[in-house]
Amino acid sequence: MKKSLSFLCWVAVAVLGSMAVGVVAMRRGEPINAMWLVVGAACCYALGFRFYSKFIAAKILALDAMRATPAERLENGRDFLVTNKWVVFGHHFAAIAGPGPLVGPVLAAQFGYLPGTLWVLAGAVFAGCVQDFVILLFSVRRDGKSLTEMAKEEIGRVGGFVAYAAVISILIILLAVAALIVVNALKASPWGTFTIAMTIPIALLMGIYLRHIRPGKVLEVSALGFVLVMLAIWGGKSVSQDSAMAGIFTLSAPALALLIIAYGFAASALPVWLLLAPRDYLSTFVKLGTIALLALGIVALHPTLHMPALTHFVDGSGPVFAGKVFPFAFITIACGAISGFHSLISSGTTPKLIARETETRMVGYGAMMAESAVAVMAIIAASVMQPGIYFAINSPAGIVGQAPATAAATISGWGFSVTAADMQTLAHAVGEQTLYNRTGGAPAFAVGMASIFSNSLGGQALMAIWYHFAIMFEALFILTVLDAGTRVARFMLQDALAHVHKGLGRTSWYPSILATSALIVAAWGYFLWQGVKDPLGGINSLWPLFGISNQLLATVALCVATTIIIKMHRTKYVLVTLAPLTWLVAVTFTASWHKIFDPSPRIGFLAQARQLAAGPATTATGRLIFNNRLDAVVTGVLVLMVAIVVMESARQWLEILSGKKEARVKETPFVMTRLAEEQG
């Protein structure tokens, strides 16, 4: 009876999910309710976790609750520590959730809500969640080794070296794009700049309070941090209304870029307890709380999606970024469906905390599912506003024009009605001077989020508060990646330099810390400066470069996973990782070809360089020509490196399957866990 009831419940979930996704995919000519997206996503995630992840856990990975994890065997109270599964889940989600699930879906909404929704759902269930899950488990069975170490052991030394170089390159690009999104969200915004600036001394105070004033009082410091952040948001309103204070915090994009570069250096060089740890701890509460609040707001208000399912920009002429749906929708959404960056976390801190192998399913597959849900909310936030407003916020001045009237006329000419008065009224409502040309996705997400919140909690009178709360939420989301990513990249650089001089590899030697931090910050700071000076807003060139890089890293991770599955004699199930790997190779290699060689100056780096070279020669033009050529070289080098990893992996597969090479995995020997006895 119980099995029959369970069967009927899951059939109902499948039918409801199919109906919801069908409405999202097939409805044309009239707006649909956002609840269709929420219901469709919830059903897809429930079915994916209940059946697909369980199939992978049982048939491919053979999770063993009796096998001791590195957290148990190597526990040292610092890096390796047996940790409650819910705490590990929270840590993993906080570490993987960066700008991608918020920004990518918002930018891709220029194609309409349909392509992004379908890819976020299918990509997460069959690719992103799978990658995070299998890499986490494989790292757990190898004493928590990193992706690059696993690549070296399972694919070979060439694969490991190339993977290391690719990871460093991708981290630099990711950090540059994350910083650019913050700059574009805060430029000419005294309210937002003040609020974010205040989170730094708040984090410092929390660090000192928890370490020296009231050690171990986590609840006290949490309450203190929450109250101070709320005061910072309210204080930002007063600052924006005071002419003298507003002048201090109204900063240009270049000024903000320099300040963020300085922050990145400080976050990497200062002791972890002083800035990075308390800021990340604070941001985790803000992240989870805001996401839950946004979900409740969508359920309570069930807003209408005003963005059509498909726009005419699917032909590649989009103003937010140029390029057709295939392949550019898939590299733009990136983290909402699959993110290579996650593999660094799944083979980094998380495998050192897992208490039982069986928990890797919830942490690996489940946390990525939660991030995908954030991406669905971002699609809704971008689609609930009028399309004309969406394009006015996200289109760069180089496309629509600098003057408000010119921009409004250009966008209305595309068939999306908007007026300069509409934009001025909206800017006034959210407490901003202007919302034009705020490329990067973050302001658009904040406007949509503020609209949902203000219509369900507090009314229009609080829209400005909600908007700046959303900006603060996004900036904390992104700065978490910025400070942690810079520190991770610094560790990797120190590991490499240790082969040159042992002192350079010591993470406790301050000259090495300062030198390597400066090198990493200078690397991503250069790309940030390139984006700030770009007349097309920077996102047009840097976000596709980020998307390509991130998906190439996922390609490396899936190569490692596929190799291990074949070595485990699970070849009949190899399509679980080989299918998404094949798709990613098709998407990323096609996108890379277009970004390098496409004849359209809005798409191809080299074409834009040629167009600029044919015009008047100025210092700015010369810099842009160099930057476009550099972007082309970076893209080409990354593709070449990943192609080597793919070919090395394929060679391993063929040799094993043909019997020329013995299939031997390099796992840590089995040790019986003691946790079962202790818990019993």
Side-chain angles (χ1 to χ4, degrees):
M1 181 65 181
K2 186 176 180 181
K3 287 186 177 180
S4 298
L5 184 61
S6 175
F7 174 78
L8 290 175
C9 287
W10 284 111
V11 168
V13 170
V15 171
L16 181 61
S18 299
M19 184 171 66
V21 173
V23 169
V24 172
M26 304 304 294
R27 185 72 63 88
R28 297 288 188 278
E30 61 182 79
I32 70 168
N33 194 293
M35 281 303 296
W36 287 112
L37 272 69
V38 174
V39 171
C43 292
C44 288
Y45 296 146
L47 291 167
F49 186 79
R50 169 61 180 82
F51 295 102
Y52 197 51
S53 73
K54 192 171 184 179
F55 163 77
I56 294 170
K59 298 295 185 179
I60 302 176
L61 304 180
L63 301 186
D64 188 350
M66 294 295 103
R67 183 173 183 152
T69 65
E72 178 186 351
R73 290 185 295 99
L74 306 175
E75 184 163 7
N76 58 16
R78 298 189 307 274
D79 300 320
F80 294 87
L81 183 68
V82 173
T83 307
N84 179 275
K85 63 182 179 181
W86 294 109
V87 175
V88 179
F89 180 92
H91 156 78
H92 190 73
F93 174 76
I96 65 175
L102 295 174
V103 174
V106 172
L107 298 177
Q110 74 163 359
F111 295 126
Y113 64 78
L114 180 58
T117 300
L118 295 181
W119 173 233
V120 163
L121 297 182
V125 171
F126 295 109
C129 296
V130 174
Q131 174 206 244
D132 291 18
F133 181 18
V134 297
I135 291 297
L136 176 58
L137 188 277
F138 291 153
S139 181
V140 166
R141 287 187 176 169
R142 287 160 179 79
D143 288 344
K145 286 184 178 177
S146 67
L147 178 67
T148 52
E149 286 296 310
M150 288 193 290
K152 184 174 68 175
E153 288 186 353
E154 303 295 345
I155 299 176
R157 295 186 63 84
V158 173
F161 173 79
V162 173
Y164 173 85
V167 168
I168 281 285
S169 303
I170 288 163
L171 267 177
I172 288 169
I173 293 167
L174 182 148
L175 295 171
V177 176
L180 180 62
I181 293 166
V182 177
V183 168
N184 285 337
L186 298 182
K187 64 183 180 183
S189 174
W191 191 338
T193 301
F194 173 83
T195 300
I196 294 303
M198 289 302 101
T199 64
I200 296 175
I202 290 171
L204 292 171
L205 175 61
M206 289 174 64
I208 294 171
Y209 187 96
L210 198 58
R211 188 174 180 88
H212 296 295
I213 300 175
R214 298 276 287 172
K217 302 296 182 181
V218 177
L219 287 178
E220 286 183 17
V221 81
S222 300
L224 176 65
F226 176 79
V227 170
L228 291 177
V229 165
M230 294 301 105
L231 289 175
I233 296 172
W234 281 100
K237 181 179 181 180
S238 301
V239 167
S240 67
Q241 294 172 346
D242 183 277
S243 57
M245 293 296 292
I248 296 173
F249 288 96
T250 302
L251 301 177
S252 65
L256 280 166
L258 292 174
L259 289 174
I260 288 175
I261 288 170
Y263 166 77
F265 177 79
S268 177
L270 288 176
V272 67
W273 62 267
L274 184 59
L275 179 59
L276 187 142
R279 170 185 272 284
D280 289 356
Y281 177 76
L282 179 64
S283 69
T284 298
F285 279 95
V286 175
K287 286 178 185 180
L288 296 176
T290 305
I291 290 166
L293 199 60
L294 180 57
L296 291 174
I298 292 172
V299 171
L301 188 63
H302 43 272
T304 297
L305 303 183
H306 296 291
M307 184 70 73
L310 294 169
T311 70
H312 60 270
F313 295 128
V314 295
D315 65 359
S317 62
V320 180
F321 62 90
K324 296 182 179 181
V325 170
F326 181 86
F328 288 99
F330 304 99
I331 64 165
T332 299
I333 289 174
C335 306
I338 180 170
S339 170
F341 179 72
H342 294 188
S343 64
L344 304 183
I345 308 301
S346 292
S347 60
T349 53
T350 304
K352 300 175 178 64
L353 304 175
I354 292 285
R356 310 288 285 273
E357 271 195 7
T358 48
E359 295 171 4
T360 58
R361 178 182 168 218
M362 183 192 75
V363 174
Y365 200 96
M368 173 57 206
M369 193 172 285
E371 177 162 350
S372 181
V374 175
V376 172
M377 294 179 200
I379 292 171
I380 293 172
S383 301
V384 295
M385 67 182 78
Q386 293 295 331
I389 293 174
Y390 166 86
F391 286 110
I393 295 173
N394 287 287
S395 300
I399 300 296
V400 299
Q402 288 281 359
T406 303
T410 301
I411 295 166
S412 297
W414 298 335
F416 303 114
S417 179
V418 68
T419 67
D422 292 336
M423 292 302 296
Q424 184 58 42
T425 300
L426 181 61
H428 177 74
V430 300
E432 291 289 340
Q433 299 174 15
T434 180
L435 286 172
Y436 283 106
N437 318 134
R438 303 296 285 271
T439 60
F445 176 83
V447 169
M449 185 171 160
S451 175
I452 293 170
F453 279 163
S454 63
N455 286 321
S456 56
L457 298 167
Q460 292 294 316
L462 292 181
M463 190 163 180
I465 294 292
W466 285 123
Y467 173 84
H468 286 90
F469 178 83
I471 288 292
M472 186 264 318
F473 159 72
E474 289 183 280
L476 282 178
F477 231 102
I478 296 164
L479 287 175
T480 299
V481 171
L482 196 67
D483 50 28
T486 301
R487 188 174 287 261
V488 168
R490 190 250 289 176
F491 287 153
M492 293 183 65
L493 183 57
Q494 285 183 296
D495 287 342
L497 292 176
H499 296 289
V500 179
H501 186 278
K502 287 186 178 180
L504 294 174
R506 284 167 47 204
T507 56
S508 60
W509 190 43
Y510 237 80
S512 174
I513 291 173
L514 296 176
T516 51
S517 296
L519 286 172
I520 294 298
V521 169
W524 63 255
Y526 170 79
F527 284 97
L528 169 61
W529 195 255
Q530 170 193 339
V532 165
K533 291 296 185 179
D534 189 336
L536 296 180
I539 286 296
N540 198 297
S541 60
L542 280 186
W543 189 265
L545 189 60
F546 160 75
I548 289 169
S549 302
N550 199 20
Q551 305 299 278
L552 287 173
L553 179 53
T555 302
V556 173
L558 289 171
C559 280
V560 173
T562 303
T563 303
I564 294 174
I565 288 172
I566 291 174
K567 288 184 174 183
M568 292 169 64
H569 303 289
R570 303 286 199 278
T571 306
K572 64 180 179 179
Y573 302 120
V574 77
L575 282 179
V576 167
T577 54
L578 186 59
L581 169 59
T582 304
W583 172 255
L584 285 182
V585 168
V587 167
T588 52
F589 282 43
T590 303
S592 300
W593 186 91
H594 281 291
K595 290 308 297 181
I596 298 172
F597 300 113
D598 196 288
S600 170
R602 291 199 57 222
I603 300 176
F605 293 130
L606 296 180
Q608 188 174 88
R610 286 193 296 269
Q611 183 187 59
L612 291 167
T618 65
T619 303
T621 300
R623 183 173 59 248
L624 289 174
I625 291 171
F626 174 79
N627 287 340
N628 273 285
R629 289 172 177 168
L630 177 62
D631 286 349
V633 171
V634 169
T635 304
V637 169
L638 288 175
V639 169
L640 178 62
M641 287 193 295
V642 174
I644 292 172
V645 174
V646 172
M647 289 187 291
E648 282 290 302
S649 301
R651 183 176 64 82
Q652 290 275 343
W653 306 339
L654 291 174
E655 289 181 354
I656 292 170
L657 295 176
S658 65
K660 293 181 179 179
K661 186 173 184 178
E662 183 182 358
R664 180 183 298 173
V665 292
K666 298 185 178 179
E667 292 183 352
T668 304
F670 177 91
V671 175
M672 178 68 74
T673 181
R674 298 187 304 274
L675 295 180
E677 299 174 3
E678 294 171 3
Q679 292 171 359

